[in-house]
Amino acid sequence: MPGTRFAPDRGLTTRMVSTMFLIGLLYVVFVGVLLALLRGAWPIILILAGSLFIAQFWFSDRIAAFGMGAHEVTPQQAPELHGAVDRLCALADMPKPRVAIADSDVPNAFATGRNQKNALVCATTGLLRRLEPEELEGVLAHELSHVAHRDVAVMTIASFLGVLAGIVTRVGLWGGFRQSGGRDSSAAILVVLIPLISAVVYAISYLLTRMLSRYRELSADRAAALLTGRPSALASALTKVTGQMARIPTRDLRKAEPFNAFYFAPAFSKEGMSRLLSSHPTLEQRLEQLGRISAQLGRA
């Protein structure tokens, strides 16, 4: 990436640009249709859409960190974690993000922030307790790659439309029915059309973000392995984290599941057709890629 020593990924850049274009187009169409159907509620729709977008873009890091129970820690409170982040940032030639720990037995890590200056990297207590130093560095390098490639910000914006589809529809229905009284034929049509449009918009935006999410995880694995020069350490961390998930109580995994798109590894793995809806590639795909990188580095 420009400004860092992480390996550039044109495939990721192309996919991010394409996803943002399609999401933007879908967003414009969605708001346009709502404005056409709910003429009386257009001020509410525009104000709400703009406010939500600004809030999610500027405060996404704080919202995600709060939702996942992350709290910032000083070098004195977490010297090993800060030391690993310091070494990787020096190796990658990038600004050091804020460092946080989430008090959870689920072994995982995540990064948030719209850019490198506002980034936060967090590891759970379960992850810190289970991984060796080299494995932890591999996971942290993976998360720092997300920050360097700016795909955290892209995922935040891309996921915005799905949230908006539900909220704006409810507000639009409320405003439209108040104006029409909820009794005439146009109101009856809105009852069918708006939930249908909302469902279609949500489904398309969901599939687009999931496809981008799976690729960006492979990209982050690749970038981390090349930066550290130890793909085997990252593979070991992946295997260990995924294996430990089966021992975590289901109630704890359910709490973590809504944030799967941010995490290093998903709380629940997908099988069969449901893999199309997964936020992460399979463990086999990730290990296969790391094996190829290891072989390439060995030949070099």
Side-chain angles (χ1 to χ4, degrees), residues 105-129:
D105 193 45
V106 178
N108 235 317
F110 65 89
T112 67
R114 62 185 182 274
N115 54 43
Q116 294 186 28
K117 293 181 180 179
N118 301 97
L120 177 142
V121 173
C122 178
T124 65
T125 52
L127 185 80
L128 296 174
R129 187 170 60 252

Side-chain angles (χ1 to χ4, degrees), residues 4-5 13 18 20 22 49 55 62 77 84 122 136 146 154-155 194 238 258 275 277 283 287 296:
T4 75
R5 295 195 181 100
T13 302
S18 301
M20 289 303 296
L22 293 173
R62 299 177 188 177
Q77 293 172 317
C122 178
L136 178 61
H146 285 315
V154 172
M155 283 296 295
I194 292 183
L238 268 169
R275 289 178 179 176
L277 306 179
L283 176 63
L287 293 180
Q296 292 169 4

